[in-house]
Amino acid sequence: MALTQVANLKGGDAKDRNEPEFIEQVVANIHRRLGVPLISNTLPSLIGVECEIEFISSWLTDGLCCHTADILTVADISGIGKTSLVRFVFGLHSSKFQKSCFIEGIDARCNERLNGLLKLQKQLHGGISKKMKIRVHDVNEYSSKIQDVLACKKVFIVLDDIGSINQLDALLGNKGLHPGSKVIVTTKDASLTERCALFNPQFQPKHTKVSHNSLCNTDSLELLCVQAFKCRRPEQGYEEVSKTLVKYCHGHPLAIEVLGKFLHKQDLAYWQEFIEVLQKEHHPDIKKALKTSFDALLFQNDKELFKHIACFFVGVDRDLIETILVACGIKTKIGIKNLVEKGLLSIESDYKLVMHTLIQEIGRDLVFQESPMKPWKRSRLWCSEESFKVLKQKKGKECILGLALDTRMLDKKKSCDELKTKSFSQMDNLMLLQLNYVQLNGCFKKFPEELRWLCMHGSPLKSIPLDFPMDNLVALDMSYSHIESFDMSFSNPQPPAKRQKVQ
């Protein structure tokens, strides 16, 4: 009987199909039938995600016999480890379902290939249906075929890296899922899933959202060592450089893996010099991965908001940022919501806006690329060294929207130099200005009139100059300054005996 069953088994036809994808599907089917996960017996590739694995495993096994279908969305920035996590969980639990299918890299495959979405539909239909290959060449028609199968079978599907609602609608349809089915969606946009056609008044699957967080320092160091040294601890002599790299990555798994593999079998001097290079430019693979979240932003409004926050406002109160940037013509309500949903921004319990350090650096790099060699031609200047040079040489141009200078960031010789107010005379569009512990000389008559935000911590001014243009100003911060009054009368800056903090 067993021999008869084996003889009757049918193989798959790889004709007109992408061979690597076909092989992956064969391997996945074998593992599913054997009931064993796709787990390597060597050093673990998943480190620091035990809680996430436990949570998703519990979610998968809970309610398998109930009368509802569940969808789980894993959302965060690129490279944070979403794909690795769900692939691991899929290997653990796919055998518990009638049919299961894992589709990886959906957004990239849709954008890079002709008829990419149609090919993904074929892969999904082939993974969950017993029927032979069907001849359909239309996305909408294939959606109908897929949703008919999903409505009558308990399935486990992982849709990795969904980039648009159209992709979800094409792969899940709108007829609902069979009770007990489980669908995991990974995406950079946390709002996508509940906006797809499946969430209509007639069919409302249970929906759970999970944010895949950065690794802690201990797990980050272990992951780096696994990639760089093939063990769990730094080799002798590499302890400090390893900690420096971990600090640079700020718990971002892709960054850690890329740098660890790049530095494998390199000597200590190479590590040290490479770290110095990283202070000036990002590794291309890390930059490419992180930039995808920015590229996914639909509106120029959101992109400008992202750059403003990355350059000047990380860690600042949300209400203050909204007050300032609304006056700059930015739609902050929709913009902040979109940045949060894309994983580019998060809001702490005290309403401060924060960014992952690598994401912030990507935002600043986007501005840097506007004019790498001529900083006065960029839209924003946040580096005190560059800002000081531009002001000292009076090269400021009308293209500059924001500028930050803190003389404590300069060497002592430069920090003692005085700057002239006429250095700002050509910055007609300057709206954001931070001059911390800066000595300014001259009249303010030709100071930029478009200023919305002025931050002058440690200012030597005793009062606000009478000729200072304040018509458009919405936020003035003179904390830790020498100011004594706001009577708008001009007073020559003379440092008093004590500093006064002004809120």
Side-chain angles (χ1 to χ4, degrees):
M1 184 185 297
L3 289 172
T4 302
Q5 290 177 350
V6 169
N8 289 331
L9 288 175
K10 296 179 180 179
D13 185 3
K15 185 179 179 181
D16 299 327
R17 295 185 62 181
N18 183 282
E19 191 168 293
E21 293 176 6
F22 180 71
I23 293 173
E24 286 181 5
Q25 185 177 339
V26 171
V27 172
N29 286 336
I30 293 173
H31 276 278
R32 178 177 57 79
R33 293 189 182 193
L34 292 176
V36 296
L38 290 162
I39 305 174
S40 172
N41 291 324
T42 58
L43 287 168
S45 58
L46 290 181
I47 295 172
V49 294
E50 292 82 5
C51 292
E52 287 91 339
I53 292 173
E54 183 178 350
F55 176 83
I56 298 177
S57 295
S58 175
W59 173 84
L60 274 170
T61 55
D62 179 39
L64 285 178
C65 300
C66 68
H67 299 292
T68 62
D70 292 354
I71 295 180
L72 181 139
T73 299
V74 183
D76 219 310
I77 57 176
S78 300
I80 205 70
K82 303 184 294 293
T83 302
S84 299
L85 173 64
V86 296
R87 187 192 294 118
F88 186 90
V89 173
F90 181 83
L92 287 175
H93 299 283
S94 58
S95 62
K96 298 180 176 68
F97 295 80
Q98 288 178 289
K99 289 288 182 178
S100 57
C101 185
F102 185 105
I103 304 182
E104 186 173 344
I106 291 172
D107 194 44
R109 290 165 66 181
C110 285
N111 295 330
E112 292 173 1
R113 301 178 185 179
L114 185 64
N115 296 326
L117 187 54
L118 188 63
K119 292 178 180 178
L120 292 172
Q121 289 179 310
K122 291 180 180 179
Q123 181 182 344
L124 177 59
H125 188 270
I128 62 176
S129 176
K130 291 182 179 179
K131 294 182 179 180
M132 297 295 291
K133 182 179 178 181
I134 58 177
R135 295 183 178 275
V136 177
H137 303 286
D138 178 74
V139 169
N140 293 327
E141 189 175 349
Y142 232 129
S143 295
S144 178
K145 301 290 184 183
I146 290 172
Q147 65 187 15
D148 288 342
V149 177
L150 294 177
C152 63
K153 287 187 179 180
K154 185 174 76 172
V155 299
F156 174 28
I157 299 172
V158 176
L159 302 178
D160 173 60
D161 194 25
I162 288 288
S164 70
I165 295 177
N166 290 338
Q167 295 167 7
L168 269 179
D169 289 345
L171 294 170
L172 295 180
N174 60 5
K175 286 187 177 179
L177 303 171
H178 189 274
S181 291
K182 301 281 185 175
V183 176
I184 297 179
V185 174
T186 75
T187 178
K188 293 182 282 290
D189 188 343
S191 70
L192 278 180
T193 307
E194 290 185 352
R195 291 191 282 125
C196 73
L198 193 63
F199 283 78
N200 58 56
Q202 187 176 358
F203 305 103
Q204 282 288 343
K206 289 185 177 179
H207 186 216
T208 304
K209 291 183 180 180
V210 175
S211 180
H212 190 31
N213 299 318
S214 302
L215 300 177
C216 67
N217 285 342
T218 302
D219 293 331
S220 296
L221 183 60
E222 182 179 349
L223 179 58
L224 177 68
C225 293
V226 166
Q227 301 297 332
F229 309 118
K230 305 305 176 186
C231 60
R232 290 182 173 85
R233 295 181 180 179
E235 291 183 0
Q236 187 175 359
Y238 287 80
E239 294 85 357
E240 290 304 316
V241 289
S242 296
K243 291 178 181 179
T244 302
L245 271 180
V246 164
K247 184 178 180 181
Y248 168 82
C249 295
H250 284 271
H252 193 275
L254 176 66
I256 297 170
E257 289 186 11
V258 167
L259 298 184
K261 291 176 181 178
F262 184 80
L263 292 168
H264 179 54
K265 292 187 176 180
Q266 300 293 347
D267 58 36
L268 182 59
Y270 189 94
W271 277 62
Q272 292 169 335
E273 193 165 296
F274 179 69
I275 290 173
E276 293 178 5
V277 172
L278 286 178
Q279 305 308 316
K280 297 181 179 180
E281 56 183 302
H282 298 284
H283 190 286
D285 293 343
I286 299 174
K287 181 178 177 180
K288 180 180 178 182
L290 292 174
K291 192 173 176 291
T292 57
S293 296
F294 173 82
D295 292 336
L297 294 173
L298 297 178
F299 305 108
Q300 190 65 29
N301 176 83
D302 300 348
K303 294 181 179 181
E304 293 302 309
L305 173 64
F306 173 70
K307 292 177 186 177
H308 277 316
I309 296 175
C311 291
F312 304 115
F313 297 117
V314 171
V316 179
D317 181 78
R318 175 178 181 171
D319 290 339
L320 177 60
I321 293 174
E322 289 190 350
T323 298
I324 295 168
L325 296 184
V326 164
C328 295
I330 301 292
K331 306 300 180 184
T332 57
K333 296 293 184 184
I334 182 175
I336 290 176
K337 185 174 186 294
N338 290 340
L339 293 183
V340 170
E341 288 175 345
K342 288 288 192 299
L344 294 169
L345 189 68
S346 58
I347 304 172
E348 293 187 335
S349 56
D350 56 359
Y351 293 100
K352 285 183 170 58
L353 300 186
V354 295
M355 278 183 185
H356 190 283
T357 303
L358 290 179
I359 290 291
Q360 181 184 14
E361 290 302 316
I362 290 298
R364 291 181 168 185
D365 185 69
L366 289 166
V367 177
F368 177 82
Q369 295 303 326
E370 293 172 358
S371 179
M373 304 306 295
K374 298 178 180 179
W376 57 90
K377 290 188 175 182
R378 297 179 207 150
S379 60
R380 301 161 181 86
L381 295 174
W382 64 91
C383 174
S384 292
E385 286 283 348
E386 291 184 330
S387 296
F388 182 82
K389 184 177 180 179
V390 168
L391 293 174
K392 194 69 177 175
Q393 297 177 357
K394 300 180 178 64
K395 287 188 175 182
K397 301 295 182 181
E398 62 276 0
C399 57
I400 299 178
L401 302 177
L403 182 146
L405 169 61
D406 190 328
T407 57
R408 295 173 299 177
M409 301 294 104
L410 307 175
D411 60 50
K412 291 184 178 179
K413 184 178 180 180
K414 288 183 179 179
S415 63
C416 294
D417 290 347
E418 296 179 354
L419 293 173
K420 306 292 185 182
T421 54
K422 63 181 179 181
S423 299
F424 297 88
S425 60
Q426 296 186 59
M427 300 185 189
D428 296 333
N429 295 312
L430 186 67
M431 294 186 287
L432 309 171
L433 181 59
Q434 184 180 56
L435 297 173
N436 289 348
Y437 302 92
V438 174
Q439 172 75 55
L440 271 182
N441 283 337
C443 69
F444 288 81
K445 187 175 182 180
K446 293 186 178 181
F447 216 62
E449 297 180 356
E450 296 298 321
L451 281 181
R452 268 63 169 177
W453 172 61
L454 177 62
C455 178
M456 298 180 71
H457 288 183
S459 170
L461 292 174
K462 296 177 67 176
S463 63
I464 303 297
L466 189 62
D467 57 351
F468 191 91
M470 300 184 67
D471 292 346
N472 295 308
L473 204 64
V474 297
L476 174 64
D477 183 356
M478 299 193 72
S479 302
Y480 311 104
S481 70
H482 298 150
I483 196 163
E484 295 178 352
S485 67
F486 287 90
D487 60 2
M488 299 298 289
S489 62
F490 183 81
S491 175
N492 290 324
Q494 297 292 334
K498 278 188 176 182
R499 288 183 177 178
Q500 179 181 3
K501 180 178 178 181
V502 180
Q503 296 290 354

